[in-house]
Amino acid sequence: MKTKELIEAGRDFYRRGWSLGTSSNYSAVVSREPLQLLLTASGFDKGNLTEDHFVVVDGSGNLARPSEHKPSAETALHTMLARVLGAGAILHTHSVAATVLSQAHCHEGFLNISGYEMLKGLSGVKTHETAFNLVIFPNTQDIAALANEVEARLLDPENPLRHGFLLSGHGLYTWGQDVTEARRHVEVLEFLLEVLLRRQQHPCSL
Amino acid sequence: MKTKELIEAGRDFYRRGWSLGTSSNYSAVVSREPLQLLLTASGFDKGNLTEDHFVVVDGSGNLARPSEHKPSAETALHTMLARVLGAGAILHTHSVAATVLSQAHCHEGFLNISGYEMLKGLSGVKTHETAFNLVIFPNTQDIAALANEVEARLLDPENPLRHGFLLSGHGLYTWGQDVTEARRHVEVLEFLLEVLLRRQQHPCSL
Amino acid sequence: MKTKELIEAGRDFYRRGWSLGTSSNYSAVVSREPLQLLLTASGFDKGNLTEDHFVVVDGSGNLARPSEHKPSAETALHTMLARVLGAGAILHTHSVAATVLSQAHCHEGFLNISGYEMLKGLSGVKTHETAFNLVIFPNTQDIAALANEVEARLLDPENPLRHGFLLSGHGLYTWGQDVTEARRHVEVLEFLLEVLLRRQQHPCSL
Amino acid sequence: MKTKELIEAGRDFYRRGWSLGTSSNYSAVVSREPLQLLLTASGFDKGNLTEDHFVVVDGSGNLARPSEHKPSAETALHTMLARVLGAGAILHTHSVAATVLSQAHCHEGFLNISGYEMLKGLSGVKTHETAFNLVIFPNTQDIAALANEVEARLLDPENPLRHGFLLSGHGLYTWGQDVTEARRHVEVLEFLLEVLLRRQQHPCSL
């Protein structure tokens, strides 16, 4: 069931150009105690996933069931988000807008997204008058260190990171209580990133 | 039948990126006396609507048939448009172009759209030489007040609002005598918004 | 057979956003002596055409077979192109790029398109080193006068109009010996218009 | 099997607008000794390829099996890439972004693509910190001379051309050990070209 939902998410994201070139990875929690996640295996076309393109990993990111495939290189982010936030599904996409904006604004460390009705598609947001900062982390191949850095921001007592984050020149991570909610968050945030990118190019902003 | 037409509209709008993230809402009048509208329920994916994702409301926006779902939060706009204009179908979409332009031009209160052949796709327009002002209202979560404000503009004796309107940073409302005409109006206006946005970025306009 | 080809062309053009809102019209010659064209009837959704959405007109644009539908308002352009050029199919599309560029460059009267490999997709063009001027006519609702004006340019002995033309703020007309060739010409020209629009927005051009 | 993979690649590239108007050509090696390639025949719609739209050519680009069709005009590039690099599949696409950027940067001779996570989708690239120059050759109709020029760059002992190249105002060539890898490389490079084009239009870059 969750496999099917992730397969359908991949088909749609691929069609929209958000998961080209075997980029992206998706997961869903299949057990809480012990923590186990269904996760896309490394290196497959996200537009044509089948059940064979997933692995099951434990809370440490090791294979919980034998598989000939390797888990995604970014497994540690998925397991951390499932553990720290209790997220039921985590989706990571690579869109053109996320790549351009995360690189252009990386030195500021966040993108301010305020005043848009679409923000109400984020879980818990009740009005467009919300001011939301989408945090941007510098990209790295050291996923363990990155997971620690993100975890510290999630647990920040004053201004905890919420809803999702960008990796510079790389893409978007977001999550939800289940695949349906996580997929809605991908659509909301990717839509808003496209709005921001085109808004910045509008003559009123130049 | 009307349910099927709204389901197909949703599938196409979702594919085009005009109804992402459970945004948008669609309605069709199913009875005039008393007024009853078939309306999308709140919070469902518009690309995969089924008969179960609709409710029937009366002219006051209350459920006319028992349902476990809630009507859209913007029901009062739909019922007002059906009542005041006699519209048979009302469609609300959230596109990138509508979001960017409605926000950039909100302080002016309208977008001038003139000289385009596509305007002839709006009911009653016979020539591209029509000058059309697409009115923009500031966004609000007070839908009752907004419905009153829009109604006053629809009934303005000198310059009545016609064809559709924008909510700033939010999206487009348009309507028609039936779902087919309302859907044509969505396509015409969304096309023209995309034209305007790209025209404004053209070097001749900078 | 030709009906089916035009139906498929419409489905693809609609999907790409080149024939939204019941805009556009398509024709194919079904008889030469006397001249008769299969032509889209006025006012139907181009993404969902059926055999019932076509009429057959004679060389003067009158119905050659009884029909409850009206021929397209732009019939005179189709019959003229079939008569003067011997075109076997004529396709008219309304894209965002064609609308923006035809309006921005209307005062010059043409768009220069040179140096692109894609030009070789136009019938008779053998090298990208071809310099091609895509003629732009001011838009009008007087289709008879426009047809005469275009005909004069087609018959210009020194610099005859070839491959297609734009109507300002309106769209593209192109043609071919059959539907396959005409559709290839639509794709080539719409591609090149999108290239030009984005090229003009490139910082090297500002 | 390889025919089917190339047919599916064509359907997807056509849908994305990377192979419009019968542009593009695709090949896969079917025999190494002697070298034989399955290659798209000249002049067919890439969105609707069938087995009949392919030819088999030998290492010199001559038909290795009788056919009523002509091999693509760019056959010599395919056979050279298969011979010099041992590529198992070669894909050539014509996108808007590749056309605009290759023309705008042709005088520099390359596009610098650095710092993007998506680069890891290129075979052998392990980190986004890779600096990659995508070489641009001036366009020409002398394919034999072009093939020699590209071959010299592939064999350059100091800085051999890798991953793909652009032809100015024309499009992208890339390859892989099989159709799956070559198609991944098309998606990665076309994605990055779109990123670069939009990045250059971003106000931070103006």
Side-chain angles (χ1 to χ4, degrees):
Chain A
M1 178 62 185
K2 289 181 179 177
T3 315
K4 187 161 166 282
E5 290 179 310
L6 293 176
I7 287 171
E8 283 175 7
R11 195 178 298 133
D12 188 62
F13 295 167
Y14 178 77
R15 185 180 66 77
R16 294 187 191 274
W18 298 346
S19 291
L20 292 178
T22 79
S23 72
S24 304
N25 35 71
Y26 321 137
S27 68
V29 171
V30 288
S31 155
R32 274 289 162 196
E33 304 208 354
L35 182 62
Q36 293 193 337
L37 286 88
L38 183 74
L39 181 76
T40 43
S42 185
F44 294 103
D45 172 6
K46 296 303 183 294
N48 256 317
L49 293 172
T50 65
E51 294 204 9
D52 187 48
H53 298 134
F54 290 85
V55 296
V56 177
V57 297
D58 63 23
S60 305
N62 298 313
L63 286 175
R65 293 182 204 166
S67 171
E68 54 181 328
H69 301 312
K70 285 198 311 176
S72 160
E74 296 174 25
T75 301
L77 283 164
H78 288 258
T79 54
M80 182 275 294
L81 290 162
R83 182 172 47 80
V84 174
L85 294 176
I90 296 111
L91 298 175
H92 170 44
T93 47
H94 287 219
S95 72
V96 168
T99 304
V100 170
L101 285 172
S102 62
Q103 202 199 47
H105 292 269
C106 185
H107 61 288
E108 299 160 49
F110 64 91
L111 268 178
N112 178 263
I113 308 180
S114 301
Y116 294 106
E117 181 73 11
M118 189 63 91
L119 286 164
K120 288 170 63 189
L122 297 174
S123 184
V125 174
K126 299 295 182 199
T127 168
H128 66 284
E129 288 173 333
T130 300
F132 169 52
N133 284 337
L134 183 61
V135 174
I136 308 171
F137 295 94
N139 197 24
T140 175
Q141 300 306 320
D142 185 345
I143 301 299
L146 176 62
N148 285 337
E149 190 180 351
V150 175
E151 181 171 351
R153 295 293 291 270
L154 293 168
L155 299 173
D156 182 316
E158 300 203 357
N159 184 22
L161 186 158
R162 283 296 173 267
H163 303 305
F165 58 86
L166 294 173
L167 301 179
S168 176
H170 180 158
L172 170 72
Y173 268 87
T174 187
W175 49 82
Q177 62 188 10
D178 52 25
V179 175
T180 298
E181 188 176 271
R183 189 169 162 184
R184 191 181 80 222
H185 289 168
V186 168
E187 292 182 12
V188 166
L189 291 170
E190 291 291 4
F191 175 89
L192 288 167
L193 290 167
E194 185 69 26
V195 164
L196 252 72
L197 182 52
R198 297 192 70 179
R199 184 72 177 86
Q200 291 181 347
Q201 291 169 342
H202 190 272
C204 293
S205 309
L206 292 184
Chain B
M1 178 61 185
K2 289 181 178 176
T3 316
K4 187 161 165 282
E5 290 179 310
L6 293 176
I7 287 171
E8 284 175 7
R11 195 177 298 133
D12 188 61
F13 296 168
Y14 177 77
R15 184 181 65 78
R16 295 187 191 274
W18 298 346
S19 291
L20 291 178
T22 79
S23 72
S24 304
N25 36 71
Y26 321 136
S27 69
V29 170
V30 288
S31 156
R32 275 287 162 198
E33 305 209 351
L35 182 62
Q36 293 193 336
L37 287 88
L38 182 75
L39 181 75
T40 43
S42 185
F44 294 103
D45 171 6
K46 295 304 183 293
N48 256 316
L49 293 173
T50 67
E51 294 203 10
D52 188 47
H53 297 134
F54 290 84
V55 295
V56 177
V57 297
D58 63 23
S60 305
N62 298 314
L63 286 175
R65 293 182 203 166
S67 172
E68 56 181 328
H69 300 312
K70 286 199 311 178
S72 160
E74 297 174 25
T75 300
L77 283 165
H78 290 258
T79 53
M80 182 275 293
L81 290 162
R83 181 172 47 79
V84 174
L85 294 176
I90 296 111
L91 298 175
H92 170 43
T93 47
H94 287 220
S95 72
V96 168
T99 304
V100 170
L101 286 171
S102 62
Q103 202 199 46
H105 293 269
C106 183
H107 62 288
E108 300 160 47
F110 64 91
L111 268 179
N112 179 263
I113 308 181
S114 300
Y116 294 107
E117 181 74 11
M118 189 63 92
L119 286 164
K120 288 170 61 188
L122 297 175
S123 183
V125 173
K126 299 295 182 200
T127 167
H128 66 284
E129 288 172 334
T130 300
F132 169 52
N133 283 338
L134 183 61
V135 174
I136 307 171
F137 295 94
N139 197 24
T140 175
Q141 300 305 319
D142 185 345
I143 301 299
L146 176 61
N148 286 338
E149 190 180 351
V150 176
E151 182 172 351
R153 295 292 292 271
L154 293 168
L155 299 173
D156 182 316
E158 300 204 356
N159 185 21
L161 186 159
R162 283 297 172 265
H163 304 305
F165 57 87
L166 294 172
L167 301 179
S168 176
H170 180 157
L172 170 73
Y173 267 87
T174 187
W175 48 82
Q177 62 187 9
D178 52 25
V179 176
T180 298
E181 187 175 271
R183 189 170 163 183
R184 191 181 79 221
H185 289 168
V186 168
E187 293 182 11
V188 165
L189 292 170
E190 291 291 5
F191 174 88
L192 289 167
L193 290 167
E194 185 68 28
V195 164
L196 252 71
L197 182 52
R198 296 192 70 179
R199 185 72 176 85
Q200 291 181 347
Q201 291 169 341
H202 190 272
C204 294
S205 309
L206 293 183
Chain C
M1 177 62 184
K2 289 181 179 175
T3 317
K4 187 161 166 280
E5 289 179 310
L6 293 176
I7 288 171
E8 284 175 8
R11 195 178 298 133
D12 188 62
F13 295 168
Y14 178 76
R15 185 181 65 78
R16 295 187 191 275
W18 298 346
S19 291
L20 292 178
T22 78
S23 71
S24 303
N25 36 71
Y26 321 136
S27 69
V29 171
V30 288
S31 156
R32 275 288 162 197
E33 304 209 352
L35 182 61
Q36 293 193 335
L37 287 87
L38 182 75
L39 181 75
T40 44
S42 186
F44 294 103
D45 171 5
K46 296 303 183 294
N48 256 316
L49 292 173
T50 66
E51 294 203 9
D52 188 48
H53 298 134
F54 291 84
V55 296
V56 177
V57 298
D58 64 22
S60 305
N62 298 314
L63 286 176
R65 294 181 203 166
S67 172
E68 54 180 330
H69 300 312
K70 286 199 312 177
S72 162
E74 297 175 24
T75 301
L77 283 165
H78 289 259
T79 53
M80 182 275 292
L81 290 162
R83 181 172 48 79
V84 175
L85 294 176
I90 296 110
L91 299 174
H92 170 43
T93 48
H94 286 220
S95 72
V96 168
T99 305
V100 170
L101 285 171
S102 62
Q103 202 199 46
H105 293 270
C106 183
H107 62 287
E108 300 160 47
F110 64 91
L111 267 179
N112 179 263
I113 308 180
S114 301
Y116 294 106
E117 181 73 12
M118 189 64 91
L119 286 164
K120 287 170 61 188
L122 297 174
S123 183
V125 174
K126 300 295 183 200
T127 167
H128 66 285
E129 288 173 334
T130 300
F132 169 52
N133 283 339
L134 183 61
V135 174
I136 308 171
F137 295 94
N139 197 24
T140 175
Q141 300 306 320
D142 185 345
I143 302 298
L146 177 62
N148 286 339
E149 190 181 351
V150 176
E151 181 172 350
R153 294 293 292 271
L154 293 168
L155 297 174
D156 183 314
E158 299 205 356
N159 185 22
L161 186 158
R162 284 296 172 266
H163 304 306
F165 58 87
L166 294 172
L167 301 179
S168 176
H170 180 157
L172 169 73
Y173 267 87
T174 187
W175 48 81
Q177 62 187 9
D178 52 25
V179 177
T180 298
E181 188 176 89
R183 189 170 164 184
R184 191 181 79 221
H185 289 168
V186 169
E187 293 183 11
V188 165
L189 292 170
E190 291 290 4
F191 175 89
L192 288 167
L193 291 167
E194 185 69 27
V195 164
L196 251 71
L197 183 51
R198 296 192 72 179
R199 184 72 176 87
Q200 291 180 347
Q201 291 168 342
H202 191 272
C204 293
S205 309
L206 294 183
Chain D
M1 177 64 184
K2 288 179 178 177
T3 316
K4 187 160 166 282
E5 289 179 309
L6 293 176
I7 287 171
E8 284 175 7
R11 195 178 298 132
D12 188 62
F13 295 168
Y14 177 77
R15 184 180 65 78
R16 295 188 191 274
W18 299 345
S19 292
L20 291 178
T22 78
S23 71
S24 303
N25 36 71
Y26 320 137
S27 69
V29 171
V30 288
S31 156
R32 275 288 162 198
E33 305 209 352
L35 182 62
Q36 293 194 335
L37 287 87
L38 183 75
L39 182 75
T40 44
S42 186
F44 293 103
D45 172 6
K46 295 304 183 294
N48 256 317
L49 293 172
T50 66
E51 293 204 9
D52 187 48
H53 298 134
F54 290 85
V55 296
V56 177
V57 298
D58 63 22
S60 305
N62 298 314
L63 286 175
R65 295 182 204 167
S67 171
E68 54 181 329
H69 300 312
K70 284 199 312 179
S72 161
E74 296 174 25
T75 300
L77 283 165
H78 289 258
T79 53
M80 182 275 293
L81 290 162
R83 181 173 48 79
V84 175
L85 293 176
I90 296 111
L91 298 174
H92 170 43
T93 48
H94 287 220
S95 72
V96 168
T99 304
V100 171
L101 285 172
S102 62
Q103 202 199 46
H105 292 270
C106 183
H107 62 287
E108 300 160 48
F110 65 91
L111 268 178
N112 179 262
I113 309 180
S114 301
Y116 294 106
E117 181 74 11
M118 190 62 92
L119 286 164
K120 288 169 61 188
L122 298 175
S123 184
V125 174
K126 299 295 183 200
T127 169
H128 65 283
E129 289 173 332
T130 300
F132 168 52
N133 284 337
L134 183 60
V135 174
I136 307 171
F137 295 93
N139 197 24
T140 175
Q141 299 306 320
D142 186 344
I143 301 299
L146 176 61
N148 286 338
E149 190 180 350
V150 176
E151 181 171 351
R153 295 292 292 270
L154 293 168
L155 299 173
D156 182 314
E158 299 204 358
N159 185 21
L161 186 157
R162 284 296 172 267
H163 304 306
F165 58 86
L166 294 172
L167 301 180
S168 176
H170 180 157
L172 169 74
Y173 267 88
T174 187
W175 48 81
Q177 62 187 9
D178 51 25
V179 176
T180 298
E181 188 176 270
R183 189 170 163 185
R184 191 181 79 222
H185 289 169
V186 169
E187 293 183 11
V188 165
L189 291 170
E190 291 291 4
F191 174 88
L192 288 167
L193 290 167
E194 185 69 26
V195 164
L196 251 71
L197 182 52
R198 298 192 70 180
R199 184 73 177 85
Q200 290 180 348
Q201 292 169 341
H202 190 272
C204 293
S205 310
L206 294 183

